[in-house]
Amino acid sequence: MTEQRGADGFGALGLDPALVSAAASLGYEEPTAIQREAIPPLLLGRDVLGQAATGTGKTAAFALPLLHRIGKSDGAQRRVRGLVLVPTRELAVQVAEAVHKYGRLLDVAVLPIYGGQSVGQQLRTLKRGVDVVVATPGRALDHIRRGTLDLSGVEVLVLDEADEMLDMGFAEELEAIVDTLPEERQTALFSATVAPRIHSISKRYLREPVRVTIANETTAAGKKPRVREVAYVVQRAYKVAALARVIDMESPTSAIIFCRTRTEVDELSESLGARGYQAEAIHGGLSQEQRDRVLRRFREGVSEILVATDVAARGLDIEHLSHVVNYDVPSSPDAYVHRVGRTGRAGREGVAITLTEAREHRLLRNIEQHTKRKISVESVPTAHDLRARRLELTSAALEEALDSGGLEKYRTVVEALGATRDILDIAAAAVKLADQSRDGSDKDEPDIPAIAVLPPVLTPKGARTNAAQRPARRTNSEDMTKIWIGLGRSARVGPGDLVGAIANEARINSREIGAIDIADNFSIVEVSSSKAAAVIAALRGKSIRGKKVSIRLDR
Ligand code: AMP
């Protein structure tokens, strides 16, 4: 599992090294199913009819071979050699960006062309010369008719989301455009469904196409796992916030969150860390030693969340997970089945959570068809849901305290208060304190707006809110331990008080103190793991700002 591995995956397909390294630099560890199937025939110059929805990695499946064919661009004499037709302006922009990213090292110039955008700008860029045009059919045809788009040098045509283009009534435009292209060209057609009308345009525009579909692996026979499968629809910008809420609601004991790329794994584990979660990254870029350390900590329960790529997770020998989270919809139903199969093992219960963007709905439906199981689409928990959940946990903790006894010395307090107060009120006040001390939120915590307007930094937990609003600080969690101290903002405790108390009482260097999160009623301080026990012993029973300190390891 070295740096080489990701490169090998794409390299083995026969792609230009510049493209292999572009894929590696984007954190792609290996080709997705549609890429594995479509790239080799496209590199051989064959036409391809591909069945794949958004989210499967289909853009790279056609863009990489297209760029391979164009090769290093001759900047001085650019002419349009690749044409990609897409149904919408959003897709035009997205695909053009992808082509630009993949083709960066080849100096390929790409231009998105779509309606609603100033024609002047498009004309200027076309005059300068471009290698690849990504266009919506209507606007492409406008340019052809005005004589401003010369497609006589097109070697590769891609029809992306062909079914959508037909649905949008672009059949005639497509025909008019294809008529202007050289006969001798390569054509690839991608569509989420291959209905008869797709067959008919494929017959017209493609020559002996190789048909590629995401392979359907038969589901393993055997006992049905007891897995609750849930999806939440979220906008990309709010994904981390939504994920944080879902984690808070679910309180997983051991979870893997799957991301598509190494870069995403690193970014997400860092965002989660900054929000106070014990999350660690695992991907193909780690050394064996680093992997072992991360895994050991996960097995021992020091970290409760692993953020992983599929490749890194493949070799993981982990008995059972309480939760599997797909940070994006997996690129194929098989990938979903593999990931989700890691929870609900041996008849235990498990939860599979998928975060999805609205545009990925088709992929989700494919998965349901493949697994023959329903994925329940639910709303992201609200602040109110989280408060209710917290109260449930408080109530369970109280029952446990009632069962475990040892309440005599507290009864005297209740008796004393009971002389002047209603017993139920006393109990309610005690529940309130217990509830608030769970995560430091107070009763006036403002409600958080629905997820669609939720600012990305908001998260409902008191301490974690603070963590999220601080600039993310890279905590080297490998050798730091979190300590819980029962004093917070309401005791007017600030970071200086905590650092001062720890450094003086435990006689440790302030450099051995890491992130500090201060909530209303408690604080979490990271200290070097080797010093954690000494810090707890040294501070126990001491005072900070005149208040007695209660201190323990943070769970
Ligand atoms: P698409 O289906 O083309 O819209 O791609 C969906 C997402 O998958 C995009 O964010 C791509 O950057 C990402 N992606 C494409 N290929 C790979 C790969 N081989 N490994 C990881 N992520 C990928």
Side-chain angles (χ1 to χ4, degrees):
M1 208 78 52
T2 62
E3 190 63 38
Q4 219 39 48
R5 175 154 183 171
D8 280 352
F10 280 93
L13 295 175
L15 284 164
D16 187 301
L19 298 168
V20 176
S21 75
S25 73
L26 290 168
Y28 298 179
E29 297 205 312
E30 59 171 6
T32 64
I34 194 74
Q35 291 162 4
R36 263 196 311 274
E37 292 197 34
I39 292 176
L42 285 171
L43 287 179
L44 288 173
R46 296 288 304 269
D47 283 2
V48 161
L49 169 59
Q51 183 174 357
T54 297
T56 53
K58 72 174 157 60
T59 313
F62 62 73
L64 292 171
L66 185 154
L67 288 161
H68 178 97
R69 173 147 178 169
I70 289 178
K72 188 142 176 62
S73 176
D74 175 2
Q77 295 201 331
R78 295 184 199 271
R79 59 195 305 230
V80 181
R81 295 172 61 200
L83 173 68
V84 184
L85 294 173
V86 298
T88 63
R89 57 188 285 176
E90 290 76 25
L91 198 59
V93 171
Q94 212 173 299
V95 169
E97 274 170 6
V99 172
H100 174 73
K101 272 192 301 191
Y102 301 141
R104 211 171 30 89
L105 296 175
L106 298 173
D107 188 32
V108 166
V110 50
L111 176 69
I113 291 183
Y114 48 85
Q117 183 199 33
S118 127
V119 176
Q121 177 62 38
Q122 291 173 359
L123 286 179
R124 277 191 295 278
T125 316
L126 282 172
K127 272 214 185 93
R128 275 205 306 271
V130 295
D131 305 292
V132 180
V133 163
V134 183
T136 51
R139 184 55 71 97
L141 199 56
D142 281 352
H143 276 285
I144 293 171
R145 292 194 170 137
R146 287 160 176 250
T148 47
L149 179 59
D150 174 11
L151 297 177
S152 61
V154 166
E155 295 167 36
V156 182
L157 165 69
V158 179
L159 303 171
D160 189 18
E161 304 206 348
D163 48 352
E164 293 281 331
M165 288 199 279
L166 295 184
D167 284 346
M168 292 174 73
F170 281 135
E172 281 176 22
E173 281 88 346
L174 287 184
E175 183 158 359
I177 295 167
V178 177
D179 276 350
T180 70
L181 302 178
E183 289 271 317
E184 276 309 311
R185 57 155 206 273
Q186 181 180 33
T187 307
L189 184 157
F190 284 86
S191 177
T193 54
V194 179
R197 60 209 176 107
I198 294 293
H199 275 299
S200 95
I201 64 165
S202 129
K203 267 203 210 102
R204 299 240 297 279
Y205 305 144
L206 275 61
R207 273 194 226 164
E208 296 170 18
V210 175
R211 171 105 189 241
V212 298
T213 324
I214 301 174
N216 271 0
E217 189 188 75
T218 46
T219 326
K223 273 196 226 140
K224 270 214 175 119
R226 294 155 67 198
V227 176
R228 179 160 60 89
E229 293 173 74
V230 196
Y232 298 98
V233 183
V234 253
Q235 294 175 40
R236 176 149 287 277
Y238 306 125
K239 269 192 154 173
V240 179
L243 176 65
R245 282 190 179 181
V246 172
I247 295 175
D248 290 345
M249 197 70 188
E250 296 277 343
S251 332
T253 49
S254 59
I256 289 195
I257 303 177
F258 285 99
C259 294
R260 283 181 177 136
T261 64
R262 284 179 195 182
T263 325
E264 265 177 10
V265 164
D266 282 334
E267 284 171 4
L268 182 62
S269 61
E270 234 173 78
S271 308
L272 291 175
R275 282 163 185 259
Y277 299 95
Q278 307 278 8
E280 296 204 53
I282 189 156
H283 56 58
L286 301 187
S287 69
Q288 190 59 41
E289 198 186 320
Q290 287 170 317
R291 280 170 59 85
D292 290 348
R293 190 161 48 220
V294 168
L295 276 181
R296 196 172 53 244
R297 294 166 60 83
F298 186 66
R299 285 211 190 90
E300 288 168 356
V302 179
S303 52
E304 52 208 13
I305 299 173
L306 274 189
V307 187
T309 54
D310 284 299
V311 171
R314 207 161 290 153
L316 294 189
D317 175 24
I318 294 172
E319 272 290 289
H320 178 76
L321 293 166
S322 66
H323 291 71
V324 167
V325 181
N326 298 306
Y327 192 60
D328 301 276
V329 185
S331 63
S332 72
D334 293 342
Y336 180 88
V337 170
H338 276 135
R339 290 176 177 186
V340 168
R342 294 186 157 272
T343 184
R345 285 193 177 167
R348 288 206 254 174
E349 288 184 3
V351 185
I353 293 164
T354 303
L355 298 189
T356 163
E357 289 173 57
R359 67 190 184 94
E360 292 169 326
H361 74 282
R362 225 197 280 252
L363 217 51
L364 208 60
R365 201 150 331 128
N366 282 350
I367 291 170
E368 284 184 328
Q369 277 168 1
H370 176 70
T371 59
K372 311 235 175 350
R373 294 194 301 260
K374 184 99 194 86
I375 300 175
S376 131
V377 178
E378 295 178 7
S379 328
V380 175
T382 62
H384 178 268
D385 296 334
L386 286 169
R387 278 197 297 270
R389 168 78 178 145
R390 191 180 69 197
L391 212 47
E392 257 175 48
L393 293 173
T394 303
S395 167
L398 284 170
E399 291 223 30
E400 218 173 275
L402 284 167
D403 289 344
S404 59
L407 298 173
E408 288 68 25
K409 67 177 179 193
Y410 304 102
R411 287 181 68 98
T412 52
V413 178
V414 179
E415 273 160 18
L417 288 170
T420 53
R421 308 276 192 154
D422 180 69
I423 295 282
L424 260 183
D425 279 346
I426 300 169
V431 174
K432 175 181 157 184
L433 289 179
D435 191 52
Q436 286 177 1
S437 71
R438 286 209 147 253
D439 64 6
S441 311
D442 62 55
K443 69 177 192 307
D444 295 326
E445 181 189 322
D447 204 2
I448 297 177
I451 198 69
V453 288
L454 173 67
V457 291
L458 279 187
T459 181
K461 283 206 173 176
R464 289 171 177 173
T465 304
N466 297 319
Q469 286 166 349
R470 282 183 301 111
R473 161 172 184 174
R474 186 188 278 278
T475 50
N476 185 2
S477 51
E478 265 153 30
D479 40 37
M480 300 301 270
T481 295
K482 289 194 165 91
I483 288 178
W484 181 95
I485 296 175
L487 294 172
R489 261 195 306 272
S490 59
R492 275 178 285 135
V493 163
D497 299 314
L498 295 170
V499 173
I502 293 170
N504 289 333
E505 297 292 344
R507 307 216 161 277
I508 71 170
N509 193 307
S510 59
R511 272 203 307 272
E512 296 188 84
I513 303 174
I516 297 179
D517 292 334
I518 302 181
D520 280 353
N521 300 322
F522 72 101
S523 305
I524 304 286
V525 181
E526 282 193 334
V527 299
S528 298
S529 297
S530 59
K531 296 289 165 54
V535 167
I536 292 173
L539 280 188
R540 186 159 281 149
K542 299 280 171 11
S543 300
I544 297 179
R545 287 214 167 236
K547 294 241 164 62
K548 270 251 154 52
V549 172
S550 49
I551 183 167
R552 58 173 164 76
L553 281 179
D554 181 46
R555 209 205 71 71

